[in-house]
Amino acid sequence: LALSNLQAYLGELGAPTPIPTFPSADPVHNPNDVYRSYIAAALEKLVDCDRVLLYESLQRPSTLSKGDLVLVLPRLRLKGVKPSDLGIELASKFPALGLVNPPVPLESYLQFFYSPKLLPRLILPFIHDRKESYSKSIAPGQRKKAIVEFSSPNIAKEFHAGHLPSTIIGAFIANLYESSGWDVVRINYLGDWGKQFGLLAVGWEKYGSEELLQAQPLKHLLDVYVKINAEFKPEEAASKQARDEGRDTAEIESQGLFAERNAFFKRMEDGDQEALALWKRFRDISIERYIDIYARFGINFDVYAGESQVNPATVVEVESLLKDKGVYQEDQGSWLIDFAKHGAKGLGTAILRGRTGTTTYLLRDVAAILDRSRQYSFDEMIYVVSSEQDAYFQRVFKTVELMGYPDLAAKLKHVNFGKVMGMSSRLGKVELLSDILDKCGSAMHDVMRTNAVKYAQVSDPNTVADTIGITAVMVQDMSGKRINNYPFDINRMTSFEGDTGPYLQYCHARLRSISRKAKAAGIDPDATDGDIDYSHLEDDHAAGLLRIMGQYTEVVDLAFRNLEPSTILTYLFRLAHQLSSSYDVLQVVGAPEGHGAALARAALYENARQVLGNGMRLLGIKPVDRQ
Ligand code: ARG
């Protein structure tokens, strides 16, 4: 996979060597950069313009009908030349390059189409040599470290619509960083501390059952919490009303469940052994279950952290830094920051330490950042949390800055997403992540049963239904831009038609089946260079596929910049559609064009499958081989 091998190979194909170099070119990793480098080097001789700017003005157009690369002429900012005239001139002078057809000027673009003759010779061995690592970059020298914090449910509370996208998108972002050569730490920051835990403990005394806790811990803790919370609601409402009317809430909060809740949480914060022992049991037993559920997604957290794990000494440190900087102020017994006073008007005020002396969500988050920067010395930390917490994270980051750590604040990033609409109304009561997955798995199983012939061939339908059901949920979640809300629609997402998860899985399984059948007929889908006669892959269908396959690295790089799973998914569907329209034309077993064509096509499909599978795995989807 070294540059020298690539050079030598390109030399064999008739391209001049060495490959011209440009600062951002990465030809070993991205085949488009091979083309870019040669095209830019040829253009350099024709136009008086900075060569790096030339290189960077060669862009991937929105659709392949406009070219594989286009030179965006206005970007060259040449004085006194009309871009369209320049395009015509450059097209007439452009030298013959084996890699591309003669360029085509169109308005302010100069379009380049890859030569169908060279395409298979370059792209197929490129992918075949790299397999799983096609698109992965091998970070030279010092690797960077990223923390990706995602999922982060609250113990004893429902796994709400916000945790599902966090889990799916967060896993993707972690994979994406890893495949871009970063070291990644996956952290689940559990909601395992705070007053709600005090309330749960109060509820446990009234409604807890050891037996139920052992049998179904997540469900039982949730039931207990729901019951006690219902009793607590009126007290909470009374306090809120008092506050809204500007009355003192101290009296209301010093009685009833309010007082019991706060007292228990205070005991926890003060290190009371008995209180902590109960809390620890709930936490441990919940994590045990979480591990199994995340495994269904193929997710493995490096750390189950949580609000409880924040170092108390760091909390004290944060507060004293804030006091020193004069940004921390006392107000009726609580401690807060008035952001407006410190150059952040829109952020209002935030309480960091409550009147009873206990820490808040915000204070714990800020302290956790200091803890993590010391423990991991990360280069970037990404929080994958719903857009409902946009303002909250602005406050967290601003607080880190005000505390005197602007460089640390600059490493923090909130990746947000919109709402999943109507999950509970469509699935019935869903409270736990496992409920969501079970329901999608069984809906998938129903869909699979409707095709009796195929169903009979699946050896382990339960597992397959579970995997495809999870794929269905994931693909629905990742189809749009992160920030958009989307409806949770179980009928649509479990359909094999349209751009759904099951369709993607179908496509992968079909390619596997093509390879199996080819092998059985003595055609090796894993054939390498010397054995394949590439002249069988110069037609439009093969070229259409190869052109898409060659773009994968570039698509991954784009996704790394915008952190949008839909960037990858849209690409995979383009690949899948191109494949669907090729099967009838490019036959393998029994191809009328004979064994040579069959062998070349088998290799084409097998490498297309590799790209599809790489993309699915990057998204966190486990490709199935049969379904
Ligand atoms: N547990 C929180 C919730 O359910 C999400 C935690 C997000 N992460 C953080 N560092 N605050 O809303």
Side-chain angles (χ1 to χ4, degrees):
L1 304 185
L3 186 62
S4 55
N5 294 346
L6 185 64
Q7 306 257 32
Y9 183 69
L10 284 163
E12 283 169 37
L13 296 183
T17 52
I19 308 174
T21 52
F22 291 88
S24 62
D26 188 1
V28 177
H29 169 223
N30 179 358
N32 266 348
D33 281 0
V34 174
Y35 287 97
R36 258 199 196 91
S37 303
Y38 283 108
I39 296 172
L43 287 167
E44 205 185 321
K45 304 204 177 88
L46 305 178
V47 55
D48 184 20
C49 166
D50 178 50
R51 66 189 298 271
V52 176
L53 180 62
L54 265 175
Y55 182 90
E56 257 135 43
S57 304
L58 282 167
Q59 298 187 346
R60 201 165 51 88
S62 52
T63 82
L64 286 175
S65 61
K66 295 184 184 158
D68 292 280
L69 288 172
V70 292
L71 179 66
V72 186
L73 295 158
R75 284 198 48 166
L76 303 181
R77 273 181 253 109
L78 293 180
K79 297 223 173 61
V81 198
K82 251 177 81 185
S84 53
D85 293 345
L86 180 63
I88 295 169
E89 189 196 325
L90 289 177
S92 71
K93 293 187 182 159
F94 198 82
L97 276 189
L99 284 171
V100 289
N101 296 340
V104 185
L106 182 79
E107 293 155 15
S108 53
Y109 298 106
L110 186 60
Q111 303 172 307
F112 291 90
F113 290 87
Y114 297 165
S115 135
K117 189 163 154 54
L118 268 273
L119 254 176
R121 292 169 174 82
L122 180 60
I123 303 296
L124 269 199
F126 200 97
I127 298 169
H128 186 272
D129 284 353
R130 286 161 181 75
K131 299 240 168 11
E132 272 83 38
S133 43
Y134 177 46
S135 104
K136 284 195 185 140
S137 62
I138 311 100
Q142 182 95 47
R143 286 163 72 92
K144 288 195 178 181
K145 180 174 278 182
I147 292 183
V148 184
E149 193 215 90
F150 62 105
S151 198
S152 307
N154 303 318
I155 289 181
K157 287 204 188 167
E158 79 278 25
F159 197 95
H160 62 67
H163 295 124
L164 183 67
S166 174
T167 308
I168 294 170
I169 298 168
F172 162 68
I173 290 176
N175 293 344
L176 187 60
Y177 268 72
E178 225 158 48
S179 94
S180 305
W182 288 55
D183 285 326
V184 174
V185 184
R186 293 168 172 80
I187 295 188
N188 195 330
Y189 185 69
L190 299 173
D192 59 357
W193 201 248
K195 290 183 176 159
Q196 86 268 12
F197 234 92
L199 189 61
L200 176 67
V202 176
W204 174 256
E205 270 155 44
K206 288 178 109 166
Y207 305 116
S209 142
E210 278 301 333
E211 209 178 310
L212 292 174
L213 183 69
Q214 293 310 324
Q216 284 191 296
L218 300 182
K219 182 161 187 339
H220 184 53
L221 289 178
L222 178 66
D223 286 345
V224 169
Y225 187 80
V226 167
K227 273 190 199 151
I228 194 76
N229 197 38
E231 286 173 34
F232 177 60
K233 274 270 141 65
E235 291 186 27
E236 197 178 30
S239 159
K240 186 178 180 307
Q241 192 182 355
R243 187 165 346 118
D244 290 349
E245 291 167 2
R247 284 186 281 122
D248 191 2
T249 55
E251 180 165 344
I252 299 173
E253 297 186 7
S254 67
Q255 310 166 21
L257 291 176
F258 235 121
E260 283 183 61
R261 175 193 79 157
N262 292 358
F264 193 92
F265 181 50
K266 186 87 173 66
R267 277 170 66 199
M268 285 166 60
E269 288 228 313
D270 291 344
D272 177 293
Q273 289 307 312
E274 200 188 326
L276 287 179
L278 184 67
W279 157 83
K280 189 169 180 322
R281 276 184 62 208
F282 292 164
R283 182 177 198 272
D284 290 349
I285 204 165
S286 299
I287 290 176
E288 229 173 85
R289 290 304 158 104
Y290 288 148
I291 290 173
D292 293 341
I293 299 167
Y294 289 122
R296 290 171 72 179
F297 276 107
I299 296 172
N300 201 344
F301 283 97
D302 298 296
V303 187
Y304 281 87
E307 296 178 44
S308 70
Q309 304 299 299
V310 178
N311 182 353
T314 315
V315 172
V316 173
E317 184 187 345
V318 165
E319 293 186 282
S320 75
L321 283 167
L322 291 172
K323 281 176 194 161
D324 290 350
K325 305 270 170 198
V327 285
Y328 212 24
Q329 66 186 74
E330 200 178 351
D331 182 73
Q332 298 179 39
S334 51
W335 283 87
L336 54 81
I337 301 177
D338 184 349
F339 288 99
K341 284 190 189 154
H342 305 283
K345 266 217 164 65
L347 297 186
T349 59
I351 297 181
L352 275 73
R353 194 177 273 276
R355 191 156 52 197
T356 51
T358 48
T359 61
T360 59
Y361 182 48
L362 179 79
L363 181 54
R364 294 190 286 271
D365 250 326
V366 172
I369 291 168
L370 267 193
D371 280 346
R372 291 177 191 174
S373 84
R374 287 170 187 154
Q375 188 178 351
Y376 301 104
S377 41
F378 56 81
D379 298 282
E380 208 173 293
M381 175 149 68
I382 296 169
Y383 295 90
V384 188
V385 185
S386 142
S387 60
E388 286 173 353
Q389 297 193 31
D390 280 357
Y392 170 75
F393 278 102
Q394 284 174 27
R395 288 174 174 174
V396 172
F397 300 168
K398 190 75 194 170
T399 306
V400 173
E401 197 186 308
L402 293 174
M403 212 165 72
Y405 287 89
D407 296 345
L408 180 55
K411 294 177 182 170
L412 309 171
K413 191 170 193 165
H414 174 209
V415 173
N416 63 2
F417 51 82
K419 275 206 175 105
V420 192
M421 315 292 279
M423 187 158 76
S424 43
S425 59
R426 288 189 181 83
L427 281 189
K429 215 166 142 199
V430 284
E431 295 166 326
L432 304 175
L433 177 56
S434 52
D435 292 342
I436 306 172
L437 300 186
D438 290 346
K439 292 201 180 177
C440 294
S442 78
M444 206 59 245
H445 210 149
D446 291 344
V447 176
M448 283 164 62
R449 278 197 195 93
T450 57
N451 188 333
V453 181
K454 269 181 138 193
Y455 186 74
Q457 293 166 2
V458 181
S459 59
D460 184 2
N462 276 318
T463 310
V464 173
D466 195 54
T467 303
I468 305 182
I470 288 169
T471 309
V473 178
M474 295 176 78
V475 165
Q476 166 155 291
D477 196 85
M478 299 194 281
S479 289
K481 285 259 159 49
R482 279 188 277 107
I483 198 64
N484 294 341
N485 300 341
Y486 73 88
F488 192 88
D489 183 342
I490 193 146
N491 292 327
R492 210 194 101 62
M493 74 182 173
T494 53
S495 162
F496 280 95
E497 269 138 52
D499 288 350
T500 64
Y503 171 65
L504 215 52
Q505 289 285 17
Y506 160 78
C507 189
H508 188 270
R510 175 148 189 193
L511 288 165
R512 277 289 198 211
S513 138
I514 291 174
S515 288
R516 279 194 301 267
K517 286 181 185 147
K519 241 184 240 160
I523 305 161
D524 179 13
D526 200 34
T528 53
D529 230 23
D531 301 328
I532 300 173
D533 177 356
Y534 289 113
S535 67
H536 292 293
L537 300 177
E538 292 172 10
D539 63 288
D540 285 353
H541 274 92
L545 257 176
L546 288 160
R547 293 169 74 199
I548 298 177
M549 289 157 68
Q551 290 182 342
Y552 179 58
T553 305
E554 195 137 329
V555 170
V556 174
D557 288 348
L558 173 61
F560 184 72
R561 276 176 274 130
N562 65 20
L563 302 183
E564 293 284 356
S566 62
T567 296
I568 304 288
L569 202 53
T570 310
Y571 168 83
L572 294 183
F573 282 122
R574 275 210 294 143
L575 178 61
H577 295 153
Q578 183 69 31
L579 280 161
S580 296
S581 66
S582 301
Y583 298 132
D584 289 344
V585 193
L586 306 177
Q587 291 174 29
V588 179
V589 177
E593 298 86 349
H595 181 78
L599 185 71
R601 291 167 184 174
L604 177 66
Y605 288 133
E606 179 54 23
N607 285 288
R609 187 203 59 74
Q610 184 73 58
V611 178
L612 182 67
N614 288 5
M616 290 169 78
R617 274 184 297 271
L618 182 63
L619 291 172
I621 297 168
K622 182 173 164 227
V624 301
D625 292 340
R626 287 171 201 266
Q627 49 107 32

